[in-house]
Amino acid sequence: MSWPVVRLCTGASMPLLGLGTWKARENDCYQAVKTALGLGYRHIDTAELYQNEKEIGKALKENFATGLKREELFITSKLWSTRHHPDDVLPACQRSLTDLGLDYLDLYLMHFPAARARGDNFFPSDGKGKAAMMDIHFMETWKAMENLVDAGLVKAIGVSNFNISQMEEVLTNGRIKPAVNQVESHPYLGCHRLLECCTAKDVVMTAYCPLARPGSQEAKDFGVDSLLQDPAIVEISQKHGKTTAQVCIKWQIQRNVVVIPKSVTPARIQENSQLFDFELSEDEMSAINNLDRNARLVPFLACKGHPLYPFNGEF
Ligand SMILES: NC(=O)c1ccc[n+]([C@@H]2O[C@H](COP(=O)([O-])OP(=O)(O)OC[C@H]3O[C@@H](n4cnc5c(N)ncnc54)[C@H](OP(=O)(O)O)[C@@H]3O)[C@@H](O)[C@H]2O)c1
């Protein structure tokens, strides 16, 4: 059976399931991508920030050598906030392409709406415990990203961590539409309003942290470490003979949200893809929708207070 896809406003197909790779580094990342491709994953999510594009490129190259075709894959990368100056956009994209060993990306996202100070330090500091920022509006950066589409380096562009009004600003003022908004979403952070807006405007929503990063310090700090043990999700998973992780991923797919669980563990990479032999009922979908508690794990706190900080707005 072929894995399900969603159509982007460009007409291209994007697989609803992809492999997340944040914090997958070096050999772990290379092995994870190889495992995933072997299992049938065709969508990989990365970013310059993750510092793993060379390892992903190595795994892709080996698969191309054994017959995998570039056009069967969907590769997403992201422009980090220190690259928002319009002069930095093309070089950043070219670096990602070189590291990945590709001549185009399927999707290039602006990683975050607010710009950090220019340079090679990913997390420049203002010396007072906050990020050093740069006064460049995301529409200036967006225009430079539109040029990447014109140049054929990326098939589609999109945004990430943009709230509803920021996304609408790009839709209104951009020449090229954002195809995707990638945001944190799991049953404790449903982003139901954002999903309605995306659907109305033909923007695809992608869910990051779909498992609420189990076992992480952030999950503990923000009180969502219990997601995979939530009684409502446990009950649904037992009914279907599935794991709670599989239920969380399937819930996103059934609401037509692209989902990118990260794992470097072969058994989990496989588990997270065994989704196509069961269906959640309408009641089960509603029960999961009702678990929303607006619990955000990735609040980019160092940028809080900046006028373009997205998380004061609606998602
Ligand atoms: N745009 C953005 O700003 C942004 C921000 C964050 C993330 N992302 C993207 O979204 C992807 C996913 O988010 P995430 O990595 O933060 O969180 P996640 O996918 O919710 O959680 C990843 C964690 O869950 C574990 N895991 C995976 N499958 C599991 C399973 N079936 N059962 C139990 N544990 C499981 C993984 O462990 P092992 O790896 O040890 O197996 C890893 O520790 C990222 O990798 C990245 O590609 C984007």
Side-chain angles (χ1 to χ4, degrees):
M1 182 198 162
S2 61
W3 293 20
V5 296
V6 65
R7 192 197 54 83
L8 299 180
C9 61
T10 57
S13 293
M14 179 175 189
L16 275 155
L17 178 68
L19 180 74
T21 65
W22 187 32
K23 298 199 175 173
R25 298 289 296 274
E26 300 176 0
N27 192 48
D28 279 353
C29 181
Y30 161 73
Q31 292 295 348
V33 173
K34 274 187 63 162
T35 302
L37 293 174
L39 288 165
Y41 284 75
R42 290 294 176 265
H43 167 193
I44 311 289
D45 182 87
T46 184
E48 182 190 9
L49 179 69
Y50 304 166
Q51 296 176 69
N52 58 17
E53 294 184 315
K54 282 190 179 143
E55 288 73 14
I56 294 173
K58 185 175 160 209
L60 295 181
K61 191 174 171 191
E62 285 179 15
N63 276 266
F64 290 143
T66 56
L68 181 72
K69 296 201 165 50
R70 171 66 184 92
E71 56 274 22
E72 293 174 47
L73 288 175
F74 193 100
I75 308 293
T76 302
S77 186
K78 310 185 192 83
L79 179 82
W80 182 237
S81 311
T82 50
R83 312 294 191 198
H84 278 214
H85 189 288
D87 291 347
D88 293 340
V89 172
L90 174 64
C93 179
Q94 282 171 326
R95 244 186 334 269
S96 287
L97 286 169
T98 302
D99 287 352
L100 287 162
L102 299 176
D103 51 19
Y104 69 88
L105 293 170
D106 297 279
L107 179 64
Y108 199 43
L109 302 177
M110 199 184 314
H111 210 139
F112 191 74
R116 295 182 197 234
R118 211 174 165 188
D120 287 330
N121 177 0
F122 287 138
F123 297 106
S125 164
D126 71 352
K128 294 179 225 142
K130 288 277 185 189
M133 306 301 286
M134 175 167 57
D135 188 18
I136 287 189
H137 191 271
F138 54 73
M139 282 314 303
E140 275 186 69
T141 311
W142 186 254
K143 287 194 178 80
M145 290 177 69
E146 290 174 330
N147 294 337
L148 303 175
V149 179
D150 298 337
L153 297 179
V154 305
K155 299 282 184 202
I157 47 177
V159 293
S160 178
N161 297 299
F162 276 50
N163 64 35
I164 293 173
S165 74
Q166 291 173 326
M167 181 179 87
E168 284 179 341
E169 209 174 324
V170 183
L171 282 161
T172 305
N173 299 324
R175 176 170 62 83
I176 298 180
K177 257 181 88 148
V180 166
N181 191 1
Q182 183 183 120
V183 295
E184 177 181 340
S185 177
H186 40 74
Y188 290 165
L189 183 67
C191 302
H192 298 288
R193 264 295 290 143
L194 176 69
L195 179 55
E196 268 174 43
C197 291
C198 283
T199 307
K201 304 276 165 68
D202 199 16
V203 176
V204 166
M205 183 171 129
T206 295
Y208 75 69
C209 293
L211 307 176
R213 228 186 270 162
S216 67
Q217 192 55 47
E218 309 87 90
K220 289 187 188 110
D221 293 347
F222 292 98
V224 299
D225 204 28
S226 56
L227 178 69
L228 297 186
Q229 290 86 46
D230 185 287
I233 300 179
V234 169
E235 190 186 325
I236 294 168
S237 69
Q238 286 173 346
K239 221 152 81 192
H240 291 280
K242 290 284 168 183
T243 65
T244 49
Q246 288 168 323
V247 169
C248 291
I249 300 167
K250 184 72 177 197
W251 169 70
Q252 299 284 10
I253 289 178
Q254 274 188 229
R255 47 181 213 148
N256 227 22
V257 169
V258 173
V259 59
I260 47 172
K262 172 263 178 184
S263 179
V264 293
T265 312
R268 286 176 173 169
I269 299 173
Q270 181 166 36
E271 171 188 333
N272 296 346
S273 71
Q274 289 173 330
L275 304 166
F276 309 125
D277 54 353
F278 77 111
E279 204 68 22
L280 299 170
S281 69
E282 255 176 57
D283 285 351
E284 289 168 338
M285 290 294 291
S286 305
I288 301 174
N289 289 342
N290 290 336
L291 296 176
D292 192 15
R293 55 172 86 157
N294 203 25
R296 185 177 297 286
L297 281 176
V298 190
F300 289 79
L301 285 178
C303 302
K304 201 170 175 174
H306 188 275
L308 296 177
Y309 180 72
F311 303 127
N312 301 323
E314 197 182 6
F315 274 82

